[in-house]
Amino acid sequence: MALTHAILAALQEEPCSGYDLTKRFDGSVGFFWQASHQQIYRELSKLEEMGLLQSEVIRQTHRPDKKIYRVTPKGLNYLRQWIMEPGAASPTRDELLVKTFVGHLVDWPAFKALLEQQRGQHLERLAIYRRIEEQYFADPKTLPRHYRFQYATLRKGIRFEESWLAWCEEIMLLLQPDLP
């Protein structure tokens, strides 16, 4: 997957400015695809040149003009074609796994502190996902189909965090030093 697809996916629901898109990345698509503001703005220009997006300049008083981007019919077709392409499983790239692989090089209290710090981050992310689920997806079967696809994405995030936390608990027990 490329940033192109993530931007088209984010904009297909609702046109917005580049600034609003970067905020949307921080709160939805950004949970599973990271991009800097500079990368997003560069990609917006490229997508507009390709005819996958079009923009409209909105004049504003007391503020700089803003561009509102929307997906073109060509962009929607591009996104549809991409969805239908077979995809490869994403490789795991996790700094903590590399650290765990060689964790024996540091003492247990230091490594345990690292695990606890990471555990806290995953607990926070899981809490965010559960709040989103409670607020927007309380009864998913009654949602329009469009929102059920978004809910499916959220469920994957919830499952990932739950699995990560279960792994963390398991390895903390496995790796702690034997008591005399």
Side-chain angles (χ1 to χ4, degrees):
M1 179 171 112
L3 180 56
T4 296
H5 304 111
I7 287 175
L8 290 171
L11 285 174
Q12 63 77 39
E13 186 171 19
E14 181 181 3
C16 67
S17 69
Y19 174 77
D20 291 333
L21 180 62
T22 59
K23 288 193 322 190
R24 192 177 295 171
F25 255 74
D26 292 340
S28 64
V29 176
F31 285 124
F32 48 88
W33 191 265
Q34 304 294 312
S36 72
H37 293 213
Q38 293 162 328
Q39 289 172 311
I40 290 170
Y41 279 101
R42 265 195 317 268
E43 196 69 19
L44 286 170
S45 294
K46 180 179 135 191
L47 293 174
E48 192 169 20
E49 287 174 17
M50 293 170 63
L52 302 178
L53 295 179
Q54 66 183 28
S55 66
E56 175 186 359
V57 176
I58 306 294
R59 305 272 177 229
Q60 301 187 104
T61 55
H62 309 298
R63 294 164 78 183
D65 295 344
K66 70 178 175 179
K67 265 184 164 178
I68 302 295
Y69 294 90
R70 75 181 70 254
V71 180
T72 64
K74 181 179 176 182
L76 283 176
N77 285 334
Y78 182 86
L79 197 54
R80 284 184 188 106
Q81 289 173 355
W82 172 73
I83 292 168
M84 298 304 296
E85 291 174 7
S90 298
T92 302
R93 290 178 36 164
D94 189 329
E95 181 179 322
L96 181 63
L97 289 180
V98 176
K99 289 180 178 183
T100 301
F101 190 76
V102 292
H104 65 279
L105 297 174
V106 298
D107 65 1
W108 172 244
F111 193 79
K112 182 179 178 190
L114 172 66
L115 287 174
E116 288 172 346
Q117 179 266 337
Q118 290 278 316
R119 183 178 179 276
Q121 290 180 14
H122 285 274
L123 282 168
E124 285 177 27
R125 175 75 51 95
L126 180 58
I128 290 168
Y129 288 168
R130 286 191 171 143
R131 281 193 301 274
I132 292 169
E133 182 179 39
E134 186 178 297
Q135 184 174 0
Y136 297 106
F137 303 103
D139 191 4
K141 295 246 184 225
T142 65
L143 294 171
R145 187 169 184 262
H146 164 164
Y147 291 112
R148 285 182 284 170
F149 278 87
Q150 291 179 357
Y151 180 63
T153 307
L154 177 65
R155 287 298 306 158
K156 173 63 173 144
I158 289 170
R159 285 279 188 85
F160 174 82
E161 297 303 336
E162 291 172 341
S163 174
W164 193 97
L165 291 164
W167 172 82
C168 185
E169 295 300 320
E170 176 186 335
I171 68 157
M172 285 183 92
L173 291 172
L174 174 71
L175 299 176
Q176 68 183 335
D178 296 328
L179 299 174

